[in-house]
Amino acid sequence: MLPNGNGVGIEAGPFALPEGGHYAMEVRNMSRAPALSLPALRSILATDRDRVRLIDVRSREESAAGTIPGALNIPVSELENALRMEPADFQATYFAEKPIPEEENLVFFCQIGSNECHAMQTARELEYLGANYEDAYRAWQAKEG
């Protein structure tokens, strides 16, 4: 177990985050998923972009109005079914490759920070690794524009 800077232990996962020392994104054995700040998210996107998949869990309408560049929109109401799909069905539905459990880290975000916790719990139950972007899309939009 590695400390995450908040006194909570996190098992080592496939890569470490640079915020407050190193801590991993393995979250299946935690009661709470790690939350990434804007600086941590920027750092990950700059250094490990190919190992992270941003998932926008807002509605299609909200996502169409603007999202974090490179994010895949899977509304929270569809997430469990989407992560259970066969890769070909996922590709046909979302026009993207299906994330691979244990290999890619999913970073969830929503409009104001409420749905991503439910999304992370769903993903954890299906053996995916990940974290929540704690500032949500509104903060990204205000700071990154």
Side-chain angles (χ1 to χ4, degrees):
M1 294 286 237
L2 300 169
N4 73 352
N6 297 324
V8 177
I10 300 174
E11 281 188 29
F15 80 99
L17 301 175
E19 182 178 276
H22 292 285
Y23 67 92
M25 291 183 64
E26 169 63 61
V27 295
R28 282 174 293 162
N29 296 324
M30 291 179 49
S31 60
R32 216 178 103 208
L36 300 176
S37 65
L38 180 58
L41 181 59
R42 278 188 197 133
S43 178
I44 290 167
L45 293 177
T47 61
D48 253 332
R49 185 64 180 108
D50 60 333
R51 299 282 311 276
V52 174
R53 179 83 64 99
L54 288 172
I55 308 290
D56 182 346
V57 296
R58 299 174 301 149
S59 71
R60 295 197 193 293
E61 296 78 20
E62 287 174 315
S63 184
T67 192
I68 297 174
L72 174 63
N73 178 231
I74 305 175
V76 71
S77 62
E78 299 175 19
L79 186 65
E80 182 174 359
N81 289 334
L83 295 179
R84 291 182 184 276
M85 286 179 174
E86 292 297 320
D89 294 333
F90 187 95
Q91 175 76 38
T93 303
Y94 297 102
F95 307 102
E97 288 187 32
K98 182 181 176 186
I100 301 169
E102 307 290 333
E103 290 185 21
E104 287 185 277
N105 291 278
L106 306 180
V107 176
F108 296 97
F109 67 94
C110 66
Q111 187 70 16
I112 56 173
S114 58
N115 286 328
E116 77 270 6
C117 291
H118 174 71
M120 188 64 248
Q121 180 180 0
T122 298
R124 285 171 42 186
E125 290 169 3
L126 296 172
E127 303 295 318
Y128 284 87
L129 307 174
N132 294 319
Y133 168 48
E134 68 184 3
D135 293 328
Y137 179 68
R138 283 187 183 174
W140 177 275
Q141 185 179 35
K143 295 173 184 173
E144 301 293 318

